[in-house]
């Protein structure tokens, strides 16, 4: 039966189905990394961004109202370039459908057009052959074939998905690096999976989708050490986050239990007790996720029907409090500064380096858990400064930082687009020089970032053979200025080949080596000896960086 229109409840079900589809293929999308660097995280970034939109939005039959919550959650929770662009797609959809209780096919077509137009505007230099192209071509190609107000919503989505798939298969022809690697665009692939899931959710209203929700966005942020430090939760704490409660309930046959269990009625009753509800039934077992201030009410209600196979409950206030303490890591409250600096780093040793130069806020950025826009916004709030500089230290974090500035409307925040933690460190070092104006100080920081040539060494995550560079999985690869420049089974050989790419390297007088968490003493000695042999007069410093992805980061 054709679907003539959709409301907010329909779209919520569609989004959950889209997230479910993306979750199933998350690893596949992550693995579509062009280079053999073990930090492919497109699928994870898209999943967490969409997930935050679903968790944030309140259920509503009013489509415009529901999408307003989705938009807010995705913008704040956007992670990585792919997540930021995805949040812009849904911002365009939300803006187009604002004020509408429901949408017919023509309304949805206009929303999908608004989606790609909004996303294109958010990217300074849009690259064709990416998810931007997939969304644009899909919307443009179905428009001539859609008879306004007559085609059903499911027909529109079917055609949109078909055109998205065709465009996705053409991405290697538009982006040479994809063709050389024999890959399609990972972001476009994730986007297609979301809409395939959304169509399935539309056509199967009785299907529940198991969603692997994290307890809260604070845990998603990847900034909470494990195990949790409960010291942040005291008798003075304000308790308002509630408990994340998850369990599997076995429905029981004994006469002491009620036998009129019905999943839809069960979920409706749960709404009285909490939010962020996910509940579905498989045979005689029911899996439940709910955020509630009074978990005992949920427990009592569930035990009318059976007993718990598994049960987990987390105090989300502790998670939030610890996250706040962990994030702030800042100057004493009330201290005003002319310049404050926020940096995204990974590795305890790298963190200590940045702290040594009085970096005001340090956000922990893991290998596949890019910093969200909301984390930057929270960091802004902790600072009392005339000017704030953000060191994203990764190309995959910069867009989220820019989006945070737009959302928060902060006119005193600037981004220094460092592509590595090593560049950020050298920029931070020059920030210590006092000058008359912020502009002069910012220019010094840019000079610091530009002054260092960075070689990053890591084990290859897969085999690779392009542009005269070949390696097998587990071999050592070297990157310079974001480009793969060497690959070898021998660590020393990969290092030596990569240094040949640095102009006038013989002029360098110092070298800083940050060892990763997987670097052994023997490997470190080998790298240090190779550099000393290559540059006998260079002064070498070694710090235990502890970073996850790169075994060595070397700044000359």
């Amino acid at each position: 039966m054709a679907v003539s229109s959709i409301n907010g409840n329909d779209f919520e079900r569609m989004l959950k189905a889209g997230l479910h589809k993306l979750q199933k293929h998350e690893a596949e999308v992550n693995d579509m990394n062009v280079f053999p660097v073990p930090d492919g995280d497109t699928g994870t970034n898209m999943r967490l961004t969409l997930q935050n939109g679903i968790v944030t939005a309140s259920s509503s039959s009013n489509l415009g109202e529901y999408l307003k919550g989705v938009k807010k959650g995705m913008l704040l929770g956007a992670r990585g370039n792919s997540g930021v662009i995805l949040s812009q797609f849904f911002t365009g959809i939300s803006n187009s459908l604002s004020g509408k209780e429901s949408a017919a096919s023509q309304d949805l077509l206009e929303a999908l057009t608004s989606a790609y137009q909004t996303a294109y505007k958010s990217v300074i230099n849009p690259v064709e052959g990416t998810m931007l192209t997939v969304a644009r071509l899909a919307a443009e190609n179905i428009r001539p074939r859609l008879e306004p107000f007559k085609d059903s919503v499911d027909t529109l989505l079917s055609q949109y998905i078909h055109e998205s798939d065709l465009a996705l298969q053409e991405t290697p022809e538009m982006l040479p690096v994809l063709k050389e690697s024999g890959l399609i665009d990972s972001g476009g692939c994730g986007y297609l999976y979301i809409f395939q899931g959304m169509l399935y959710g539309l056509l199967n209203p009785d299907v529940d989708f198991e969603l692997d929700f994290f307890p809260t966005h604070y845990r998603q942020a990847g900034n909470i050490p494990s195990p949790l430090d409960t010291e942040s939760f005291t008798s003075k704490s304000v308790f308002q986050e509630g408990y994340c409660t998850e369990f599997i309930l076995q429905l029981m046959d004994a006469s002491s239990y009620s036998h009129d269990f019905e999943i839809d009625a069960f979920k409706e009753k749960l709404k009285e007790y909490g939010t962020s509800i996910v509940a579905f039934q498989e045979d005689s077992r029911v899996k439940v996720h709910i955020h509630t201030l009074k978990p005992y009410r949920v427990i009592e209600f569930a035990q009318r029907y059976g007993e718990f196979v598994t049960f987990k409950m987390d105090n989300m206030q502790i998670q939030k409090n610890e996250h706040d303490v962990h994030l702030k890591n800042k100057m004493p409250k009330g201290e005003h500064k002319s310049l404050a600096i926020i940096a995204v780093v990974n590795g305890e040793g790298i963190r200590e380096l940045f702290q040594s130069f009085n970096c005001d806020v340090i956000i922990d950025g893991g290998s596949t858990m890019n910093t969200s826009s909301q984390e930057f916004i929270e960091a802004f709030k902790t600072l009392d400064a005339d000017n704030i500089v953000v060191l994203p230290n990764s190309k995959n974090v910069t867009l989220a930082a820019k989006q945070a500035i737009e959302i928060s409307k902060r006119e005193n925040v600037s981004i220094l687009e460092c592509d590595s933690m090593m560049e950020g460190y050298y920029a931070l070092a020059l920030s210590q020089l006092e000058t008359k104006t912020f502009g002069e100080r910012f220019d010094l920081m840019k000079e610091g970032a530009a002054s260092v040539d960075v070689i990053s060494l890591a084990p290859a995550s897969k085999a690779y053979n392009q542009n005269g560079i070949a390696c097998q999985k587990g071999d050592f690869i070297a990157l310079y200025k974001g480009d793969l420049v060497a690959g070898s089974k021998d660590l020393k050989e990969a290092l030596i080949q990569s240094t040949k790419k640095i102009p006038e390297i013989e002029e360098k007088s110092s070298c800083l080596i940050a060892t990763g968490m997987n670097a052994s003493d023997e490997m470190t000695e080998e790298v240090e000896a190779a550099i000393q042999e290559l540059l006998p007069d260079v002064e070498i410093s070694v710090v235990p960086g502890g970073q996850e992805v790169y075994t060595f980061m070397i700044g000359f």
Side-chain angles (χ1 to χ4, degrees):
M1 182 177 177
V3 180
S4 59
S5 67
I6 55 174
N7 62 19
N9 293 331
D10 297 323
F11 208 94
E12 180 179 10
R13 185 177 68 253
M14 291 164 64
L15 277 188
K16 287 181 177 179
L19 177 58
H20 183 260
K21 177 82 171 182
L22 181 61
Q23 283 178 330
K24 290 176 65 176
H25 295 274
E26 181 177 336
E28 172 193 336
V29 176
N30 283 344
D31 288 342
M32 290 181 182
N33 199 18
V34 172
F35 296 118
V37 182
D39 63 350
D41 51 8
T42 297
T44 300
N45 285 332
M46 295 180 74
R47 189 258 298 173
L48 288 174
T49 301
L50 179 57
Q51 181 172 295
N52 206 66
I54 294 173
V55 171
T56 300
S58 298
S59 299
S60 173
S61 61
N62 185 297
L63 180 58
E65 286 302 308
Y66 175 70
L67 284 171
K68 188 185 299 182
V70 171
K71 168 185 170 181
K72 178 182 178 181
M74 290 185 70
L75 286 173
L76 291 174
R79 298 176 186 277
N81 295 342
S82 57
V84 172
I85 293 172
L86 184 65
S87 73
Q88 290 295 317
F89 281 131
F90 279 89
T91 293
I93 291 174
S94 176
N95 292 345
S96 180
L97 297 176
S98 177
K100 292 184 179 292
E101 293 188 7
S102 61
S105 59
Q106 184 66 19
D107 299 317
L108 189 56
L109 175 58
E110 297 306 323
L112 293 171
T113 301
S114 173
Y116 83 75
Q117 291 174 343
T118 303
Y120 265 87
K121 290 176 183 176
S122 71
V123 180
I124 296 176
N125 296 306
V127 176
E128 296 301 337
T130 64
M131 60 193 296
L132 291 168
T133 309
V134 171
R136 176 177 62 80
L137 291 180
E140 289 179 350
N141 290 341
I142 64 173
R143 183 174 289 278
R145 299 203 305 271
L146 185 74
E147 191 173 352
F149 305 106
K150 291 188 178 180
D151 280 335
S152 62
V153 172
D154 52 298
T155 299
L156 169 69
L157 280 177
S158 296
Q159 293 180 3
Y160 185 75
I161 289 167
H162 175 69
E163 291 296 336
S164 295
D165 194 13
L166 291 179
L168 179 62
Q169 302 310 316
E170 289 299 312
T171 54
E173 301 302 320
M174 305 176 203
L175 202 55
V177 69
L178 292 176
K179 190 170 186 177
E180 292 167 3
S181 304
L183 296 171
I184 55 177
D185 179 65
S186 57
C189 185
Y191 186 75
L192 176 61
Y193 281 138
I194 290 171
F195 275 88
Q196 286 176 339
M198 288 174 67
L199 177 60
Y200 184 83
L202 175 64
L203 296 177
N204 295 273
D206 296 328
V207 176
D208 283 312
F209 300 96
E210 180 179 3
L211 301 179
D212 184 21
F213 284 118
F214 289 101
T216 69
H217 70 270
Y218 300 107
R219 185 173 292 265
Q220 292 169 23
N223 283 340
I224 300 175
S226 182
L228 287 175
D229 181 359
T230 61
E231 293 302 313
S232 62
F233 188 70
T234 70
S235 61
K236 305 296 184 183
S237 296
V238 176
F239 186 75
Q240 57 189 18
E241 295 294 322
Y243 298 92
C244 175
T245 306
E246 296 176 301
F247 57 82
I248 296 176
L249 181 73
Q250 173 65 61
L251 302 179
M252 306 298 289
D253 293 334
S255 59
S256 56
Y257 299 94
S258 176
H259 299 146
D260 61 349
F261 181 86
E262 200 280 316
I263 187 64
D264 289 335
F266 184 77
K267 288 193 291 186
E268 194 63 31
K269 185 67 175 179
L270 286 178
K271 291 180 181 178
E272 298 179 14
Y273 304 140
T275 60
S276 297
I277 297 166
V278 180
F280 62 93
Q281 181 178 1
E282 289 183 359
D283 298 324
S284 62
R285 289 187 174 183
V286 184
K287 185 169 183 178
V288 175
H289 169 282
I290 183 171
H291 293 173
T292 177
L293 288 167
K294 303 293 182 182
Y296 76 89
R297 299 173 65 190
V298 178
I299 294 170
E300 287 180 346
F301 172 59
Q303 283 187 302
R304 296 180 191 177
Y305 302 99
E307 297 298 341
F308 303 109
V309 177
T310 62
F311 191 96
K312 182 172 74 72
M313 185 172 69
D314 294 309
N315 182 327
M316 295 189 295
Q317 194 65 52
I318 294 177
Q319 295 169 2
K320 182 182 185 303
N321 289 358
E322 186 184 358
H323 172 78
D324 290 344
V325 170
H326 185 67
L327 173 66
K328 286 177 181 177
N329 190 13
K330 56 173 179 124
M331 65 190 126
K333 186 176 181 181
E335 181 182 341
H336 178 81
K337 301 185 73 173
S338 60
L339 172 65
I341 298 174
I342 299 169
V344 180
V345 306
N346 173 241
E348 192 57 37
I350 301 294
R351 170 184 286 273
E352 291 175 2
L353 272 181
F354 277 70
Q355 287 175 329
S356 70
F357 280 126
N358 300 314
C359 185
D360 298 286
V361 176
I362 298 176
I363 302 175
D364 187 17
S367 59
T368 57
M369 190 65 72
N370 295 125
T371 308
S372 70
S373 297
Q374 184 165 12
E375 287 176 274
F376 282 115
I377 292 172
E378 290 175 352
F380 299 158
K381 293 177 182 177
T382 69
L383 297 171
D384 179 12
D386 296 327
N387 293 282
I388 299 172
V389 172
V390 176
L391 302 175
N393 295 332
S394 168
K395 290 181 179 178
N396 211 27
V397 174
T398 301
L399 272 184
K402 289 181 177 179
Q403 185 156 281
I405 294 172
E406 293 174 5
I407 294 171
S408 61
K409 296 180 171 55
R410 292 270 183 163
E411 296 182 355
N412 67 330
V413 181
S414 302
I415 298 176
L416 201 162
E417 297 188 25
C418 301
D419 294 338
S420 73
M421 291 184 285
M422 195 67 77
E423 289 181 13
Y425 171 72
Y426 278 78
L428 187 60
L430 288 192
S431 74
Q432 307 302 300
L433 301 177
E434 290 292 343
T435 57
K436 291 183 179 180
T437 68
F438 165 70
E440 292 171 340
R441 202 165 175 184
F442 191 67
D443 286 341
L444 281 173
M445 294 180 70
K446 288 194 287 187
E447 289 177 18
S451 70
V452 60
D453 288 293
V454 183
I455 296 293
S456 300
L457 295 160
S461 59
K462 63 180 181 180
Y464 181 88
N465 190 354
Q466 285 184 45
N467 301 323
I469 300 170
C471 66
Q472 296 299 315
K473 183 177 180 179
D475 288 355
F476 285 99
I477 55 172
L479 285 84
Y480 172 61
K481 292 187 179 297
D483 295 325
L484 187 62
V485 295
S488 174
K489 291 185 180 299
D490 183 68
L491 172 61
K492 180 179 178 180
E493 179 63 22
L495 172 61
I496 291 174
Q497 290 300 319
S498 63
T499 56
K500 293 179 180 179
K501 301 294 181 179
I502 300 177
E504 301 178 344
I505 190 170
E506 64 279 358
E507 307 269 330
K508 300 290 185 177
S509 60
S510 63
C511 170
L512 176 63
I513 303 172
T515 60
M517 61 189 305
N518 296 318
S520 66
D521 292 341
E522 292 78 8
M523 293 164 65
T524 303
E525 290 172 3
E526 183 179 3
V527 166
E528 193 171 357
I531 294 173
Q532 201 73 75
E533 181 181 341
L534 180 69
L535 303 168
D537 297 326
V538 76
E539 182 179 341
I540 300 175
S541 300
V542 180
V543 296
Q547 66 273 8
E548 295 176 24
V549 172
Y550 296 108
T551 309
F552 295 97
M553 290 190 303
I554 307 170
F556 293 93

